Amino acid sequence: MAATFTSISPHPSSSSLYHKFHPSTLAYSLNSSIESSTSCLATKNVNLSNGRRNSSTYRPLRVQNAATKQAKSPAEEDWKIKRQVLLEKKVRSVDVKEALRLQAENNFVILDVRPEAEFKEGHPAGAINVQIYRLIKEWTAWDIARRAAFAFFGIFQGTEENPEFIQSVESKLAKDAKIIVACSAGGTTRPTQNLPEGQQSRSLIAAYLLVLNGYKNVFHLDGGIYKWFKEDLPSESQE
């Protein structure tokens, strides 16, 4: 009497039979990115007759697992575009000690883009200040709503983009000036495992605006003003 058994076992990748099959890939899209990972299993049919194995056949069984990525926010998409421009324009980051040397030996200017009040409390010696964000000035219905939104998160001095940023920079620095842009933390265009697009910051956004408006020698302070103070480099304040 013959008996037939069916078993499921992992398909050996080294098997010559495996390369005869070309499983198709399924793709799914629903307002998000889909990544698929697959594994192959083989179905092994074994016929036993009088205690002997007569034949074995392998058929690949494709098992697909899908992991859905969360869609990027408009702010993330906007930063991705800005970062690409910074990379194309070769905006390079310099550490604080190199920035100090460039300032002393090569006539580089440190452009501090923090709010004016923070700049007055303390900044790298010789730096100039043009804030990229300023306190909300107007009192239209829209501005009141924005103030309320900031207050909801415990921020009682809401800010907005400074529409006069480029104009103010142009009044202080020529287009061929050698500029190191600085803010509190610095940010980075370098990708990491957790931040594949780097980390945006006020100084990187300022650098983006500068290169878009014709400035050719734009650098970025890695680690920001925080790192400058931590390294105890020359600083000054305005009372």
Side-chain angles (χ1 to χ4, degrees):
M1 181 176 181
T4 301
F5 298 93
T6 301
S7 63
I8 303 294
S9 61
H11 194 298
S13 60
S14 60
S15 170
S16 60
L17 293 175
Y18 177 80
H19 300 290
K20 295 181 181 179
F21 299 94
H22 304 281
S24 61
T25 302
L26 299 179
Y28 299 90
S29 177
L30 183 59
N31 296 326
S32 62
S33 300
I34 302 296
E35 286 186 345
S36 301
S37 60
T38 61
S39 59
C40 288
L41 299 177
T43 302
K44 183 178 181 181
N45 296 321
V46 182
N47 294 322
L48 298 180
S49 178
N50 298 325
R52 294 182 180 180
R53 177 183 295 178
N54 293 333
S55 64
S56 296
T57 59
Y58 289 86
R59 290 181 298 171
L61 176 63
R62 187 176 182 86
V63 179
Q64 185 163 2
N65 298 317
T68 304
K69 282 185 175 180
Q70 187 176 5
K72 290 185 177 181
S73 68
E76 289 173 321
E77 292 292 350
D78 182 62
W79 163 240
K80 183 177 180 180
I81 294 171
K82 288 182 170 67
R83 176 178 178 269
Q84 186 60 38
V85 171
L86 292 170
L87 294 175
E88 290 174 356
K89 296 293 185 179
K90 296 180 172 56
V91 174
R92 185 168 67 89
S93 294
V94 296
D95 64 35
V96 291
K97 291 184 178 179
E98 183 181 2
L100 178 62
R101 181 187 65 79
L102 291 172
Q103 183 189 35
E105 300 176 5
N106 297 87
N107 297 319
F108 275 68
V109 176
I110 296 177
L111 175 62
D112 190 333
V113 298
R114 295 177 300 158
E116 184 179 358
E118 293 181 28
F119 177 80
K120 288 182 176 180
E121 288 178 1
H123 54 265
I128 65 173
N129 175 237
V130 179
Q131 55 187 4
I132 189 170
Y133 292 99
R134 68 181 186 185
L135 295 177
I136 298 174
K137 288 187 174 183
E138 303 299 328
W139 287 93
T140 65
W142 168 241
D143 294 316
I144 293 172
R146 288 195 296 160
R147 283 185 171 88
F150 276 108
F152 179 81
F153 292 99
I155 303 172
F156 297 100
Q157 291 187 325
T159 59
E160 62 186 359
E161 289 186 12
N162 179 7
E164 300 172 354
F165 174 72
I166 290 297
Q167 181 181 350
S168 297
V169 173
E170 289 176 340
S171 69
K172 298 180 179 183
L173 297 171
K175 296 288 186 178
D176 60 352
K178 301 171 185 176
I179 305 171
I180 301 173
V181 191
C183 66
S184 296
T188 182
T189 57
R190 293 189 296 270
T192 64
Q193 183 176 0
N194 294 329
L195 298 169
E197 302 292 343
Q199 177 66 56
Q200 70 172 321
S201 66
R202 290 176 291 183
S203 54
L204 286 171
I205 294 172
Y208 164 80
L209 293 175
L210 291 174
V211 296
L212 281 188
N213 285 274
Y215 284 89
K216 305 295 184 183
N217 303 304
V218 179
F219 294 75
H220 162 256
L221 187 64
D222 192 21
I225 304 299
Y226 169 81
K227 185 70 176 296
W228 185 281
F229 290 151
K230 185 177 180 181
E231 295 290 338
D232 198 26
L233 299 181
S235 61
E236 56 191 13
S237 61
Q238 297 175 4
E239 298 298 336

